[in-house]
Amino acid sequence: MGVSRPDLTVTIGDWLLANPIMTASGTFGYGAEFADFVDLNRLGAIVVKGISHKPRIGNPPPRIVETACGMLNAIGLENPGIEKFLTDKLPQLKKYTCGIVVNILGDSLEEYGMLAERLNVAEIAAIEVNISCPNVKKGGVAFGTDAKMIYDVTKCVREKSNKPVIIKLSPNVTDITAMALAAEEGGASAVSLINTILGMAIDIRTRRPKLANKVGGLSGPAVKPIALRMVWQVAQRVKVPVIGIGGINTVEDVVEFLLAGATAIQIGTANLTNPHVAEELVVGLEKYLLENEIASVKSVINGLLT
Amino acid sequence: MGVSRPDLTVTIGDWLLANPIMTASGTFGYGAEFADFVDLNRLGAIVVKGISHKPRIGNPPPRIVETACGMLNAIGLENPGIEKFLTDKLPQLKKYTCGIVVNILGDSLEEYGMLAERLNVAEIAAIEVNISCPNVKKGGVAFGTDAKMIYDVTKCVREKSNKPVIIKLSPNVTDITAMALAAEEGGASAVSLINTILGMAIDIRTRRPKLANKVGGLSGPAVKPIALRMVWQVAQRVKVPVIGIGGINTVEDVVEFLLAGATAIQIGTANLTNPHVAEELVVGLEKYLLENEIASVKSVINGLLT
Amino acid sequence: MTSCGKAKYQLQGEIKKISCQDDICMMVIDVPEICRGAKAGQFVMVKAAEEKNNDPLLRRPFSIHRVSEGLLTIIFKVVGRGTKNLANMKVSRLVDVVGPLGNGFQIFKEQRHYLVGGGMGIAPMHYLAESIIKQNPRSEVVALLGARTAKELEVFGHINALPYLLVKISTDDGTAGHHGLVIDLLTQSVAERGAGTVYCCGPWPMMKAIAMYCHDNKMSCQVSLETIMACGIGACLGCAVSGSAVTGDGYLHVCQDGPVFEAGKIWV
Amino acid sequence: MTSCGKAKYQLQGEIKKISCQDDICMMVIDVPEICRGAKAGQFVMVKAAEEKNNDPLLRRPFSIHRVSEGLLTIIFKVVGRGTKNLANMKVSRLVDVVGPLGNGFQIFKEQRHYLVGGGMGIAPMHYLAESIIKQNPRSEVVALLGARTAKELEVFGHINALPYLLVKISTDDGTAGHHGLVIDLLTQSVAERGAGTVYCCGPWPMMKAIAMYCHDNKMSCQVSLETIMACGIGACLGCAVSGSAVTGDGYLHVCQDGPVFEAGKIWV
Ligand SMILES: Cc1cc2nc3c(=O)[nH]c(=O)nc-3n(C[C@H](O)[C@H](O)[C@H](O)COP(=O)(O)OP(=O)(O)OC[C@H]3O[C@@H](n4cnc5c(N)ncnc54)[C@H](O)[C@@H]3O)c2cc1C
Ligand SMILES: Cc1cc2nc3c(=O)[nH]c(=O)nc-3n(C[C@H](O)[C@H](O)[C@H](O)COP(=O)(O)OP(=O)(O)OC[C@H]3O[C@@H](n4cnc5c(N)ncnc54)[C@H](O)[C@@H]3O)c2cc1C
Ligand SMILES: Cc1cc2nc3c(=O)[nH]c(=O)nc-3n(C[C@H](O)[C@H](O)[C@H](O)COP(=O)(O)O)c2cc1C
Ligand SMILES: Cc1cc2nc3c(=O)[nH]c(=O)nc-3n(C[C@H](O)[C@H](O)[C@H](O)COP(=O)(O)O)c2cc1C
Ligand code: FES
Ligand code: FES
């Protein structure tokens, strides 16, 4: 029995995505940067670069280093701030039909809450809460590695927002499932993981760290096995949808994350190394389902046999 | 000013190593396997495959999977047991002048203590305590991710052993420095890190994990930035020597770990992919010191400028 | 590295010849020290990444197809990233080779020898045939080679050219030789010529079937196994396979205890 | 990808020519769409790993040296793994190229133009000279090229062949042209011929010195900067550099705001 056109749609809470392929925050700019490489309307959703209350200039250079099958980044969450985003960036995105997810970060519960409230605007499909970026001295790490704080942030954002709330988890923890459960308890509509893993590189000539920030976040194919393991562990414990992130480059990678229990996935570093990858993977996933005569992507999700 | 022959010696407790290059447990067999590729007498020390009280047959196959710039392993600590090791394996090692370190693992404090006691024999330079192998259901993980248990294991082994005791830390924790401090408090002569990072890979054709054990330990160049960051964090907090492990392949890698604060380093996966790498790096490190007119490797250790 | 008294070597060997037909390639590498001690059934581990690149990380194991005048020949099928990289390598560049590894076939002083190869499992049979003929000049050596289709056998054409070797082939699709399985060739040959000792390499189900047949017919049988390998030298214990009852409850390690096993060690 | 109305492309381009002298290589790639819109001073990002291999992960940025009939020429020095892999690539294989990227040099309607290149910073000057001459047929265009030693200049020999272009060279070791720095050539030329507008690419200290000289002598100056880049298209914000007071307290992004900047934006 062949299938005509496979069903790629997935749902996160009451949000229906055309397909499970999203782009990861900080690796896809504000979307427009990729308009020449990707038909944005083909994507399930775009997650924009993390936004804070006030503008942030980010970390001094150097901000990136290449590592084996990966890269370290210490951008420092450079962003124009919520108001400039709403006035300058968001309007550019209106013309696209794909879901727009805004990634937010704060130094305090109040900032998170205020950002969530400010983003209750029609064009936005969901918000993703970055409690895990390892690059900022205040906030970031502390929130992401403490279950109680994750619960509090989630609860606060949940109360202020009328959108699906995605909590983005940090992998720099002993037990990722405890963090996911805290987010679920706090009212998260979904959890996304993983953010980058804290790493370091040293220039032996200067004897200094290669990053001005000393340490940075590791991403890319190198982290995929760790991300996949965490997604699998979390998917077995929480009822809310899980969004898989980490080293995704190919259709095989996408299918692995879906099988492990991810309802959707995000492409990060691969956007930087292969700018048309996001569209490639939407097309490739549809092809995979067709060739394997799978009528709906939903029957791949959580399909791991153990 | 040129230097005649650089001083490569380092000390761990009162143990003097000819140079800081060791081989990592489980990647160098019991030494003899590499006799055709490496002049074992050139190495600072050999750390043998992990030994338990009773023999272990290990995990069912498949036990290894290649990943991007790394590999997952779930060997399951296959080993002949302490008695067979002492009668069959150790004698073969006697003829070599390099230090012999025995890596031990147990399911209980008692087993660790008993192993430590049994290894109070002349040929052995030090023991390394594996509290971090993620592959064994009992023991392993629990010990390695709980500061209190690390303290207890260290204290128990310290009391039973008359050798330098190296505690090998697991990277699968939120705060590696807390684990290192617990080991130091318990009386560790040194800490070594990192062991493998828990990961997973899925075969999309069979929809099953690629490893029979489902999850396995990630190692190789992919993990180097994470390992280097953890070594740097730990070296700033503990007074005992730190032994750096994780993705070391080249002389540059060795120097990075030394600069980050490692007194010695261990080569793991690289032995499998490049069997003569251990000797290569001893020669290469000496060459590096000569070319940079550095009289003693000790002046590289902890030399990071920040 | 110096060559005195070693069993295994890690060498940078120059590629003297490489040719691919569709997805099957033959590569000839200049590694005299490895060739010197090589036995039929042993294998080599070849680095499949550009120098200083870490991906793909692990070496790839390949059977020794042939050794002559210090030149090692391997024959491989392109199935993934590593073999694809190897297939793209050009003559005169260096490849990093470790070998010879594992235990080869044990050659018995027998009257009749059946060499049974399936698919890429035919690779070790050329050197094996040469070795058997050298050691047992007066014995009868029969090669039974099976493949999916005729194309897969082309690269092994030169095996027919070996003197004193009788070659029979089978293909699943009947495009060459017997239309059917290689085991048919064996039963048929044994019926015609009588029992002999069997050396076998190929897909798992095929080897198991051959092993069972030999067991039932009281013929000695050696099989050459494949498993994923990290080191190939007995250090990582990654290449475990469970053996038959006779081998006890532990695991066998293909790179060290094998890759060639007495069939009884694996089945029945 | 279709080519309608796009500014940037990601293409699999065939290598038409590659030649290396010591550690300096010239590569010609067939990427018509990228060539069509390319401006002098823009750059491309080239994948430096085998297809499907993840290491080295990041693309490598290279200035557009020349475009003609849909063929893109880059000139690069082998300094690490990526450029080594590129140097090993053979004619007729495909490379993955993204471009044209960044903002090129702004070509002023001026009477006199000084093109100042140092080391590999000479690479963009060929296409720049062609462009200036095309747009200002009657103006005076002077290329001042500096390098450590004569060998480094060989690969740029064809620049001398450009019509209407006056070329002067300097080497640190005196093996060719003026024995000294390229800035000497500029001061000297300005003394002889008078002020002009300056376009500069090379090592940071050299560009800074040129910029200062231009500032003091009220000459307009554009500089082309290098930073580590991950995406080259303004997405990762990894290529930040701090600008001069006039640019405020934020950072500039070389791949998007540059790589060519009005010197005052970087150094007052
Ligand atoms: C002792 C031995 C001898 C062999 N001899 C030959 C030969 O002569 N000719 C030939 O074509 N093939 C031979 N093989 C199989 C060959 O090693 C694999 O086809 C090859 O490793 C695939 O690598 P890849 O990167 O193309 O595939 P990938 O799928 O990308 O490889 C991924 C990982 O799986 C491993 N792997 C994949 N398939 C196999 C397999 N069948 N056996 C073992 N490991 C595998 C790879 O080594 C690598 O570590 C032999 C295998 C062994 C163990
Ligand atoms: C806009 C721009 C234009 C350039 N044009 C040229 C050119 O025409 N010819 C030429 O020879 N070189 C040029 N470079 C420099 C060139 O990109 C580097 O030499 C090259 O990336 C080194 O790669 P590698 O793998 O050999 O070195 P590695 O040291 O292995 O590279 C490691 C990482 O550092 C980055 N990196 C290393 N050196 C530089 C550098 N100088 N600038 C930016 N990133 C670097 C690499 O891209 C990679 O991400 C240009 C750089 C930029 C930013
Ligand atoms: C350059 C860069 C910038 C990033 N910025 C952000 C960010 O602003 N907010 C966030 O939540 N994650 C950020 N991330 C993390 C990614 O969204 C993603 O979680 C991580 O890179 C792992 O996925 P990957 O391996 O596919 O890149 C950034 C990653 C990179 C490489
Ligand atoms: C195949 C394999 C087996 C291992 N077995 C052990 C072991 O028995 N005991 C132990 O403490 N660590 C073991 N390790 C972990 C290594 O000693 C080392 O800590 C880890 O691989 C990181 O270093 P690397 O990236 O250089 O390999 C093993 C690693 C591998 C790859
Ligand atoms: S492959 Fe490492 S022990 Fe066999
Ligand atoms: S390199 Fe990514 S923004 Fe400039």
Side-chain angles (χ1 to χ4, degrees):
Chain A
M1 49 105 226
V3 289
S4 53
R5 200 143 198 283
D7 173 14
L8 287 174
T9 62
V10 296
T11 55
I12 290 173
D14 49 15
W15 173 34
L16 178 78
L17 288 81
N19 64 65
I21 311 290
M22 312 169 120
T23 59
S25 180
T27 65
F28 208 67
Y30 297 99
E33 293 85 347
F34 286 80
D36 281 345
F37 304 104
V38 175
D39 175 355
L40 300 177
N41 294 326
R42 293 298 307 273
L43 306 182
I46 294 173
V47 184
V48 301
K49 173 74 182 163
I51 302 292
S52 53
H53 175 199
K54 298 231 161 45
R56 294 186 183 220
I57 66 168
N59 290 328
R63 291 178 170 188
I64 48 179
V65 187
E66 184 178 61
T67 65
C69 292
M71 64 179 277
L72 290 167
N73 89 82
I75 306 303
L77 300 171
E78 173 179 347
N79 80 87
I82 184 74
E83 295 311 327
K84 208 158 184 323
F85 167 75
L86 290 170
T87 52
D88 299 4
K89 305 290 185 182
L90 192 55
Q92 297 181 35
L93 289 167
K94 281 192 182 136
K95 59 172 173 295
Y96 301 110
T97 59
C98 64
I100 307 302
V101 178
V102 179
N103 178 283
I104 61 171
L105 59 120
D107 289 344
S108 63
L109 281 179
E110 297 63 39
E111 186 174 359
Y112 277 111
M114 175 280 216
L115 287 162
E117 204 159 17
R118 197 72 187 77
L119 289 166
N120 288 329
V121 297
E123 302 81 7
I124 294 170
I127 61 177
E128 181 179 61
V129 185
N130 177 9
I131 54 172
S132 49
C133 181
N135 296 336
V136 194
K137 274 142 219 71
K138 296 187 295 167
V141 165
F143 278 106
T145 55
D146 178 314
K148 175 73 177 69
M149 290 180 87
I150 291 176
Y151 172 84
D152 293 341
V153 172
T154 310
K155 198 152 174 305
C156 157
V157 172
R158 173 68 290 166
E159 281 161 4
K160 294 290 196 314
S161 175
N162 60 24
K163 309 280 178 188
V165 172
I166 303 162
I167 302 297
K168 184 167 182 178
L169 303 175
S170 166
N172 301 301
V173 296
T174 306
D175 179 5
I176 191 77
T177 62
M179 307 300 147
L181 287 166
E184 182 175 49
E185 224 179 298
S189 318
V191 291
S192 59
L193 64 154
I194 63 174
N195 206 315
T196 55
I197 305 175
L198 199 58
M200 186 179 198
I202 295 172
D203 181 331
I204 67 170
R205 276 157 299 282
T206 62
R207 293 193 164 195
R208 295 184 181 283
K210 285 185 175 174
L211 294 170
N213 188 57
K214 296 189 187 72
V215 295
L218 183 66
S219 65
V223 308
K224 191 193 121 194
I226 302 169
L228 188 65
R229 181 262 300 180
M230 290 186 168
V231 164
W232 177 67
Q233 290 177 319
V234 167
Q236 288 172 299
R237 298 295 306 282
V238 300
K239 283 162 229 61
V240 296
V242 175
I243 300 169
I245 320 170
I248 296 175
N249 259 309
T250 65
V251 173
E252 292 66 35
D253 296 335
V254 172
V255 174
E256 280 189 73
F257 276 86
L258 296 177
L259 288 170
T263 296
I265 62 93
Q266 292 180 12
I267 305 163
T269 301
N271 292 311
L272 310 178
T273 58
N274 181 17
H276 67 221
V277 68
E279 185 174 359
E280 233 172 59
L281 294 192
V282 173
V283 174
L285 180 60
E286 182 162 27
K287 188 154 159 295
Y288 168 83
L289 295 174
L290 265 173
E291 288 173 355
N292 293 274
E293 300 187 331
I294 301 169
S296 164
V297 71
K298 295 182 194 66
S299 56
V300 178
I301 294 164
N302 228 324
L304 186 70
L305 308 170
T306 56
Chain B
M1 50 106 227
V3 291
S4 53
R5 200 143 199 281
D7 173 14
L8 287 174
T9 61
V10 296
T11 55
I12 290 173
D14 49 15
W15 173 33
L16 178 77
L17 287 82
N19 63 65
I21 310 290
M22 312 168 104
T23 59
S25 180
T27 66
F28 208 68
Y30 297 99
E33 293 85 348
F34 287 80
D36 281 345
F37 303 104
V38 175
D39 175 354
L40 300 177
N41 294 328
R42 293 297 307 274
L43 305 181
I46 294 172
V47 184
V48 300
K49 173 77 183 160
I51 302 291
S52 52
H53 175 198
K54 298 228 158 44
R56 294 185 184 220
I57 66 168
N59 290 328
R63 291 178 170 187
I64 48 180
V65 186
E66 183 179 62
T67 65
C69 292
M71 65 179 277
L72 290 167
N73 89 82
I75 305 302
L77 300 170
E78 173 179 348
N79 80 88
I82 183 75
E83 295 311 327
K84 206 156 186 321
F85 168 76
L86 289 170
T87 52
D88 299 4
K89 305 290 185 182
L90 191 57
Q92 297 182 36
L93 288 167
K94 282 192 184 140
K95 60 171 172 294
Y96 301 110
T97 58
C98 64
I100 307 301
V101 178
V102 179
N103 178 283
I104 62 171
L105 57 119
D107 289 343
S108 63
L109 281 179
E110 297 63 38
E111 186 174 359
Y112 277 111
M114 175 280 213
L115 287 162
E117 205 160 14
R118 197 72 186 76
L119 289 167
N120 288 330
V121 296
E123 302 81 6
I124 295 170
I127 60 176
E128 180 179 62
V129 185
N130 176 8
I131 52 172
S132 49
C133 181
N135 296 337
V136 193
K137 273 142 221 71
K138 299 185 294 166
V141 165
F143 278 107
T145 55
D146 177 314
K148 174 76 175 68
M149 290 181 88
I150 291 176
Y151 172 84
D152 293 341
V153 172
T154 310
K155 198 154 173 304
C156 158
V157 171
R158 173 69 291 166
E159 281 161 3
K160 293 290 195 314
S161 174
N162 60 25
K163 309 279 179 188
V165 172
I166 302 162
I167 302 297
K168 186 167 179 178
L169 303 176
S170 165
N172 302 299
V173 296
T174 305
D175 179 6
I176 191 75
T177 63
M179 307 300 148
L181 288 166
E184 181 174 50
E185 223 179 300
S189 318
V191 291
S192 60
L193 64 155
I194 61 172
N195 206 314
T196 55
I197 305 175
L198 199 58
M200 186 179 199
I202 294 172
D203 181 331
I204 68 169
R205 276 158 299 281
T206 62
R207 292 193 165 196
R208 293 183 182 284
K210 285 185 175 174
L211 294 170
N213 189 56
K214 296 190 187 72
V215 296
L218 183 66
S219 65
V223 307
K224 190 192 123 194
I226 302 169
L228 188 66
R229 181 262 300 181
M230 290 185 167
V231 164
W232 177 66
Q233 290 176 319
V234 167
Q236 288 171 298
R237 298 295 305 282
V238 300
K239 281 163 229 62
V240 296
V242 176
I243 300 169
I245 320 170
I248 295 174
N249 260 309
T250 65
V251 174
E252 291 67 33
D253 297 334
V254 172
V255 175
E256 279 188 74
F257 276 86
L258 296 177
L259 288 170
T263 295
I265 63 91
Q266 292 180 13
I267 304 163
T269 301
N271 292 311
L272 310 178
T273 58
N274 181 17
H276 66 221
V277 67
E279 184 173 359
E280 235 172 57
L281 294 193
V282 173
V283 174
L285 179 61
E286 182 163 27
K287 191 156 156 296
Y288 168 84
L289 295 174
L290 264 173
E291 289 173 355
N292 293 273
E293 301 189 329
I294 300 168
S296 164
V297 72
K298 295 183 194 66
S299 56
V300 178
I301 295 164
N302 230 325
L304 185 70
L305 308 170
T306 55
Chain C
M1 303 175 76
T2 67
S3 63
C4 50
K6 285 183 183 167
K8 306 177 188 131
Y9 299 88
Q10 177 177 4
L11 303 173
Q12 296 283 326
E14 186 185 338
I15 298 178
K16 290 296 188 181
K17 186 161 172 295
I18 172 154
S19 59
C20 299
Q21 279 187 12
D22 304 326
D23 60 349
I24 298 182
C25 302
M26 173 183 296
M27 184 186 275
V28 179
I29 314 168
D30 184 11
V31 282
E33 294 88 342
I34 290 176
C35 294
R36 198 178 301 122
K39 287 198 243 43
Q42 288 187 298
F43 66 100
V44 293
M45 298 280 285
V46 183
K47 183 171 201 271
E50 286 292 324
E51 186 201 355
K52 286 212 161 66
N53 292 10
N54 306 303
D55 191 56
L57 182 72
L58 302 177
R59 288 167 183 274
R60 302 317 197 217
F62 299 104
S63 302
I64 292 173
H65 172 65
R66 186 172 187 179
V67 298
S68 73
E69 288 133 21
L71 297 181
L72 165 75
T73 303
I74 59 173
I75 292 180
F76 61 92
K77 182 176 202 145
V78 175
V79 301
R81 290 193 306 146
T83 47
K84 184 159 191 300
N85 287 357
L86 290 171
N88 287 335
M89 291 183 181
K90 304 269 181 295
V91 166
S92 88
R93 70 159 274 174
L94 299 175
V95 278
D96 191 315
V97 185
V98 174
L101 302 173
N103 305 306
F105 286 100
Q106 197 185 339
I107 298 176
F108 294 110
K109 287 244 153 296
E110 285 271 347
Q111 175 49 278
R112 195 173 295 104
H113 307 262
Y114 292 111
L115 283 52
V116 186
M120 283 298 117
I122 297 171
M125 296 306 166
H126 187 281
Y127 188 37
L128 176 60
E130 284 184 318
S131 307
I132 294 174
I133 291 163
K134 189 130 143 276
Q135 291 180 41
N136 306 287
R138 259 168 264 73
S139 71
E140 187 180 326
V141 187
V142 185
L144 309 173
L145 314 179
R148 264 192 224 78
T149 178
K151 266 206 150 309
E152 275 186 25
L153 288 167
E154 279 171 20
V155 69
F156 298 111
H158 54 290
I159 293 183
N160 291 301
L162 279 174
Y164 311 110
L165 177 68
L166 178 67
V167 179
K168 299 184 178 188
I169 64 175
S170 70
T171 51
D172 303 353
D173 65 359
T175 45
H178 166 69
H179 186 168
L181 301 176
V182 70
I183 189 164
D184 308 338
L185 296 178
L186 181 60
T187 49
Q188 192 190 56
S189 305
V190 170
E192 291 169 14
R193 319 171 155 269
T197 180
V198 172
Y199 312 80
C200 181
C201 185
W204 191 269
M206 164 210 160
M207 287 196 287
K208 185 167 185 184
I210 300 283
M212 293 311 171
Y213 170 85
C214 293
H215 176 76
D216 300 344
N217 295 270
K218 315 248 170 318
M219 287 162 51
S220 85
C221 177
Q222 297 171 63
V223 293
S224 179
L225 304 186
E226 283 186 8
T227 58
I228 293 190
M229 295 183 171
C231 72
I233 59 174
C236 73
L237 307 182
C239 59
V241 289
S242 27
S244 64
V246 306
T247 60
D249 60 355
Y251 292 98
L252 298 164
H253 300 96
V254 172
C255 78
Q256 199 171 25
D257 308 326
V260 178
F261 294 91
E262 195 271 294
K265 281 225 168 79
I266 309 299
W267 299 290
V268 302
Chain D
M1 302 173 75
T2 66
S3 63
C4 49
K6 285 183 181 167
K8 304 175 188 136
Y9 299 89
Q10 177 176 5
L11 302 172
Q12 295 283 327
E14 186 185 338
I15 298 178
K16 291 295 187 181
K17 184 161 174 294
I18 172 155
S19 59
C20 298
Q21 278 188 9
D22 304 326
D23 59 350
I24 297 183
C25 302
M26 172 182 298
M27 184 186 276
V28 180
I29 314 168
D30 184 10
V31 283
E33 294 87 343
I34 291 177
C35 294
R36 199 178 300 120
K39 287 198 246 37
Q42 288 187 297
F43 66 99
V44 294
M45 297 280 286
V46 183
K47 182 171 198 254
E50 288 292 325
E51 185 202 353
K52 285 210 162 64
N53 292 10
N54 306 304
D55 190 57
L57 182 73
L58 302 178
R59 288 168 182 272
R60 302 318 198 216
F62 299 104
S63 302
I64 293 173
H65 172 65
R66 187 171 187 181
V67 298
S68 72
E69 289 132 22
L71 298 180
L72 165 75
T73 304
I74 58 172
I75 292 180
F76 61 91
K77 182 174 201 149
V78 174
V79 301
R81 291 193 307 145
T83 46
K84 185 161 191 300
N85 288 356
L86 290 172
N88 287 334
M89 291 183 182
K90 304 268 181 295
V91 166
S92 87
R93 72 158 274 173
L94 298 175
V95 277
D96 191 314
V97 185
V98 173
L101 302 174
N103 305 306
F105 287 99
Q106 197 184 339
I107 298 177
F108 295 109
K109 289 245 152 295
E110 284 270 350
Q111 171 50 314
R112 192 173 296 104
H113 306 264
Y114 291 111
L115 283 54
V116 186
M120 283 298 116
I122 297 171
M125 296 306 166
H126 187 283
Y127 189 36
L128 177 60
E130 285 183 318
S131 308
I132 294 175
I133 290 161
K134 191 128 141 278
Q135 291 179 42
N136 308 286
R138 257 167 267 71
S139 71
E140 185 180 327
V141 186
V142 185
L144 309 173
L145 314 179
R148 262 192 225 78
T149 176
K151 266 203 149 312
E152 275 184 28
L153 289 168
E154 280 171 20
V155 70
F156 298 110
H158 54 290
I159 294 184
N160 291 302
L162 278 174
Y164 311 110
L165 177 68
L166 177 66
V167 179
K168 298 186 179 189
I169 64 176
S170 70
T171 52
D172 302 354
D173 65 0
T175 46
H178 167 69
H179 187 168
L181 301 176
V182 70
I183 190 165
D184 308 338
L185 296 179
L186 180 61
T187 48
Q188 190 189 57
S189 305
V190 170
E192 291 169 14
R193 317 169 157 271
T197 178
V198 172
Y199 313 80
C200 179
C201 184
W204 192 268
M206 164 211 161
M207 287 196 286
K208 184 166 183 183
I210 300 283
M212 292 311 170
Y213 171 86
C214 292
H215 176 77
D216 300 342
N217 295 270
K218 315 248 168 319
M219 284 160 53
S220 86
C221 176
Q222 297 171 64
V223 293
S224 179
L225 303 186
E226 283 185 10
T227 59
I228 294 190
M229 293 184 174
C231 72
I233 59 173
C236 72
L237 307 183
C239 59
V241 289
S242 25
S244 63
V246 304
T247 61
D249 60 355
Y251 292 99
L252 297 165
H253 300 96
V254 172
C255 78
Q256 200 172 25
D257 308 324
V260 177
F261 294 90
E262 196 271 297
K265 280 224 168 79
I266 310 299
W267 307 284
V268 290

